Amino acid sequence: MNAPLAESLSVVLLVATLVWAVLRPGGWPEAVVAVPAAAVAVATGVISPEHALAEAERLGPVVGFLAAVLVLAHFCDVEGLFTACGAWMARWAGGRPGRLLTAVFVLASVITAVLSLDATVVLLTPVVLATATRMGVRSRPHLYACAHLSNTASLLLPVSNLTNLLAFTASGLSFTRFAALMTLPWLVAIGAEYLVFRRFFADDLAAPPPSPEADTDAAEPPRLPLFALVTVACTLAGFVVASAIGVDPAWAASAGALVLAVRALVRRGATPLTVVRAASPAFLAFVLALGVVVRAVVDNGLADALRHVLPGGSGLVALLALAALAAVLANLINNLPAVLVLLPLTAPLGPGAVLAVLLGVNIGPNLTYAGSLATLLWRRIVQRQEEGADGDGGAAVGFGEFTRLGMLAVPAALVPAVAALWVSLQAVGP
């Protein structure tokens, strides 16, 4: 196939894959189009079988890690972790919307960092909506916080986001050094988002509950799932130890997932099919297929085009430019394809450049719904939860408001986070 035709076909395949992933007609999985698109790319010669296989081999360990973390998060939910979180939020907030927002920021940030952004989107968001409804407060600020923090708060650990796993592999950093470099940017970005939310939703947070006797803790508080908490803590410790001795951290993630899954199977709280579904095999297939399609686009001209605009060096200005480029690209083609495109180009520039790209693809998607798959999934979950429920007049989320909030929050979080990364690089070293 000649070069112009190969370039055009690769772009068409990528656009078709992303459009289907965004719209998901009839609720069909993203893989329904992604897998055939990858097959077409190989069959037509848009990408060579060798390059396709190499991309699949590169993503294989990352996908395995992701599967283990998804299973771990699912069985934490089975153990009652997220129900306990909702009860704690209601008790701590005491009927005050501002305190509830603070509680959501704390919990969503920790859950996203430790159990991945999928746990915040899929498991915490319904709990937050139910808690706000039970308290009688407007739920919009708290729901938007779940969406934003599923992206922004996923900066801390390699396990927090699929984009992090890819960047972690490309950076050559250890687990602990990655976390050390990203701790300050993580805190700065979350703090900036919090200030924006307090300002943007000032009226919602100042509104009193409709009833002074709003039920914040009528039922007996659920027990704290100590077994799940201990398992998660041991898994995190396993990540650190595995990285230190040169073992793939996926083994630690798999061990944690296996412990909780076996416990649920023994107690008949799950079946083998439940475990398989928790790993989301259709989404894993989508990630592998999308990697092949993106590699086809990169091989057919995108890499050369981006090389002309990539800044050189590792100074603050260069890091800001890289993060801005990554944020723009994430909102144009989604953050997962963006990171797949940019990492091979920035990895030779050093860990600082890779982490700057990560800041862009994790914070940038808060600008539009299409910026990340997590945000699209969050929107569907919120709409599904609100169907048939009695709204409070402030629960509905919309594209316009999401974008207005993002236009304030993204630059407010991204610029100081990049500056914090530069400080971390000077203090800790690349």
Side-chain angles (χ1 to χ4, degrees):
M1 183 178 295
N2 61 62
L5 184 56
E7 182 178 348
S8 300
L9 181 55
S10 65
V11 171
V12 168
L13 291 173
L14 178 60
V15 170
T17 299
L18 293 177
V19 168
W20 180 273
V22 169
L23 299 178
R24 286 188 67 198
W28 285 87
E30 296 91 346
V32 168
V33 168
V35 172
V40 169
V42 174
T44 57
V46 170
I47 181 174
S48 68
E50 293 77 16
H51 279 194
L53 181 60
E55 188 65 21
E57 290 177 346
R58 183 173 74 90
L59 292 176
V62 172
V63 169
F65 199 126
L66 175 63
V69 171
L70 290 174
V71 172
L72 183 68
H74 171 80
F75 285 104
C76 281
D77 184 45
V78 171
E79 290 281 332
L81 178 60
F82 294 92
T83 301
C85 287
W88 173 81
M89 284 189 294
R91 290 197 304 273
W92 192 83
R96 286 172 285 181
R99 285 177 68 91
L100 179 60
L101 181 67
T102 302
V104 171
F105 259 75
V106 171
L107 275 176
S109 297
V110 173
I111 288 172
T112 297
V114 175
L115 292 176
S116 87
L117 80 171
D118 299 284
T120 296
V121 170
V122 177
L123 303 175
L124 184 63
T125 297
V127 170
V128 167
L129 178 57
T131 301
T133 301
R134 189 170 73 250
M135 288 176 57
V137 303
R138 296 176 182 176
S139 56
R140 279 201 337 271
H142 317 295
L143 292 176
Y144 281 120
C146 289
H148 273 237
L149 292 171
S150 71
N151 292 314
T152 300
S154 67
L155 294 168
L156 182 61
L157 301 176
V159 301
S160 307
N161 195 337
L162 179 55
T163 57
N164 294 32
L165 292 173
L166 294 166
F168 175 60
T169 302
S171 69
L173 296 168
S174 67
F175 187 96
T176 51
R177 184 165 289 273
F178 182 102
L181 288 171
M182 295 302 278
T183 296
L184 185 59
W186 181 70
L187 291 171
V188 167
I190 292 170
E193 289 259 19
Y194 182 75
L195 294 176
V196 170
F197 268 68
R198 296 291 303 206
R199 176 77 175 178
F200 190 87
F201 292 108
D203 292 340
D204 296 272
L205 298 175
S211 169
E213 290 82 25
D215 180 16
T216 60
D217 195 18
E220 182 180 349
R223 65 176 182 83
L224 190 66
L226 291 177
F227 187 86
L229 288 175
V230 170
T231 302
V232 171
C234 290
T235 303
L236 286 174
F239 292 150
V240 176
V241 173
S243 180
I245 63 177
V247 175
D248 194 325
W251 290 106
S254 300
L258 184 63
V259 167
L260 289 184
V262 169
R263 175 179 165 88
L265 290 170
V266 169
R267 301 175 71 181
R268 299 190 177 182
T271 65
L273 183 59
T274 305
V275 178
V276 173
R277 286 176 175 169
S280 195
F283 183 72
L284 302 180
F286 164 73
V287 172
L288 282 172
L290 180 61
V292 173
V293 174
V294 171
R295 176 65 182 271
V297 177
V298 171
D299 287 353
N300 286 283
L302 181 58
D304 293 334
L306 287 173
R307 282 193 185 95
H308 293 298
V309 297
L310 279 178
S314 57
L316 178 57
V317 174
L319 295 180
L320 284 167
L322 278 172
L325 175 63
V328 170
L329 197 60
N331 284 285
L332 291 176
I333 65 172
N334 192 266
N335 66 339
L336 183 54
V339 79
L340 288 170
V341 169
L342 290 172
L343 285 181
L345 302 177
T346 54
L349 302 177
V354 171
L355 296 181
V357 166
L358 188 60
L359 290 176
V361 298
N362 283 5
I363 298 174
N366 285 330
L367 183 60
T368 66
Y369 277 150
S372 73
L373 294 175
T375 307
L376 294 168
L377 179 59
W378 167 84
R379 181 184 61 175
R380 288 197 296 271
I381 288 173
V382 171
Q383 291 173 340
R384 186 168 64 244
Q385 290 289 320
E386 290 181 336
E387 286 177 0
D390 293 329
D392 58 12
V397 297
F399 175 80
E401 187 173 52
F402 187 95
T403 304
R404 290 195 302 274
L405 176 60
M407 291 177 68
L408 295 174
V410 169
L414 186 58
V415 173
V418 175
L421 172 63
W422 181 81
V423 171
S424 294
L425 289 167
Q426 307 310 307
V428 178

